[in-house]
Amino acid sequence: AAEAARAAAARREATPVLDAFETAAAEQARAAAVAAAHEAQMRPIEAARAVGTALDESLATVRGGGPMHSASHPLVAALATLDGAISHVDSHPELQSASLRAELHALRCRALRAVSVQHVAKPLDSAVEKVLLEGRRAAAAAAAAAPAAAAAPAAAAAEPGGRPHASHPASDPASASAAPPPAVLQPGKAAAKAAAEAELIFVRLAASLRPWIEELEARAAEHQDYAAIMADARASYWRCRHALAAAELAARLAGIARDEAGGADHAIRRCCGEAMLAAASEAKLHAAFFSPPPPTPTRRSSFVAQPSAAASGVTAYAAASSVTAYSATEGGGEAGGGG
């Protein structure tokens, strides 16, 4: 009986201690669960914050385009991480704070701007430099070959005694005026070949740049800052195309105006047709780089459809081509007595 009494007293004394221990263990388990839940909630955000360092490292090592677009590319992975973090914050009201949203938005702008500059603008600039360099080389080669090509017919036409050969076009003024020497035809062929090669370069470039542009297009509608970055990429494209196509088109229009024998009105029609073909070609090439713009809603009472902002490049190109056509034919019409 005495032993049982002592055991009961010991249990009474130990009960508060055991209760306190159990309470502490339960609190510790709850704290660990809360910490784990908080860590799980913050993991996408911390991963998004680490994107800043990854972006710095990526931009420090990538120059002029770098690797092709792929899911493992640092920028593509960074954008996917940021997309996941923003979606995570949107689905957890307790995490939705203005400062956190601003932080994630700034990181996403950095990533999109890196895509626009490193993987759209710089490859376009490199393509323009390549085309212009090839054009300068072709022009230098043509200039070096022109004197020899011009002297070859005269040398072949002369007989040992110094008299022209009877069968050569130089002895027949009519045939000489009808058939221009090869030196006149060669520059046109060289220009056509250079234009075809330049277009092929941009067609191939479109295949590699299209996935990067899609990264910008997919997010452009979510925020005006993203739309501005997309607009910058499109402006870079049109700047590069203008640097290549404007001078070439102006030369073609000037050649039509200079060589047209049907008067100024016929020259203007031909120049406008050439400008329309150039604008259609630019629109087709633009479609290889960018998705078609959404239709712009117009009122029923409006008779003129307003072009969308995305299509303004083709519109501006066509307008500039028309002005160039008029300018090219204006001088020729006055010189030839046309109206």
Side-chain angles (χ1 to χ4, degrees):
E3 188 66 27
R6 285 195 295 272
R11 282 195 299 271
R12 286 193 299 271
E13 292 177 359
T15 296
V17 177
L18 292 175
D19 291 342
F21 177 78
E22 291 176 357
T23 302
E27 289 293 335
Q28 186 176 3
R30 282 194 296 270
V34 170
H38 180 73
E39 182 181 357
Q41 285 190 346
M42 295 300 295
R43 191 175 295 118
I45 298 173
E46 294 302 328
R49 287 170 176 163
V51 164
T53 303
L55 284 176
D56 293 337
E57 295 175 355
S58 174
L59 297 181
T61 57
V62 174
R63 291 292 182 269
M68 298 290 290
H69 181 281
S70 67
S72 60
H73 191 282
L75 268 179
V76 179
L79 285 170
T81 300
L82 291 170
D83 292 343
I86 292 174
S87 177
H88 179 74
V89 170
D90 291 340
S91 61
H92 291 78
E94 66 275 11
L95 297 177
Q96 295 180 12
S97 64
S99 60
L100 181 57
R101 284 184 172 277
E103 180 182 3
L104 295 177
H105 172 72
L107 288 172
R108 199 188 224 182
C109 284
R110 283 186 60 194
L112 292 175
R113 198 169 291 111
V115 169
S116 176
V117 174
Q118 297 290 335
H119 297 280
V120 178
K122 286 191 175 181
L124 286 170
D125 290 336
S126 299
V128 171
E129 292 177 2
K130 180 179 180 180
V131 171
L132 293 179
L133 178 61
E134 292 297 330
R136 287 192 293 268
R137 289 175 177 173
E159 293 182 348
R163 294 173 299 174
H165 195 277
S167 62
H168 194 272
S171 61
D172 187 358
S175 62
S177 61
V184 177
L185 297 177
Q186 186 64 26
K189 295 179 180 179
K193 181 181 178 182
E197 291 176 351
E199 184 176 359
L200 182 59
I201 289 175
F202 269 79
V203 169
R204 291 173 177 172
L205 183 63
S208 61
L209 263 60
R210 186 76 187 95
W212 291 109
I213 294 174
E214 287 177 347
E215 297 284 355
L216 303 178
E217 291 175 339
R219 300 165 178 85
E222 297 184 20
H223 197 280
Q224 60 182 3
D225 291 342
Y226 310 154
I229 295 172
M230 178 70 242
D232 290 342
R234 198 183 298 273
S236 297
Y237 169 83
W238 283 119
R239 172 178 51 80
C240 291
R241 289 304 305 163
H242 185 271
L244 293 178
E248 176 190 345
L249 178 60
R252 293 204 304 266
L253 297 181
I256 292 174
R258 182 175 56 252
D259 300 334
E260 183 57 50
D265 53 346
H266 189 59
I268 289 176
R269 284 194 294 269
R270 282 195 60 196
C271 285
C272 289
E274 187 73 20
M276 288 176 63
L277 291 176
S281 177
E282 288 298 325
K284 182 178 179 181
L285 184 61
H286 176 272
F289 282 86
F290 300 92
S291 298
T296 302
T298 56
R299 295 196 302 261
R300 290 181 180 272
S301 60
S302 177
F303 291 96
V304 180
Q306 299 298 324
S308 64
S312 61
V314 177
T315 305
Y317 187 89
S321 302
S322 301
V323 172
T324 306
Y326 179 79
S327 299
T329 56
E330 188 178 28
E334 293 177 356

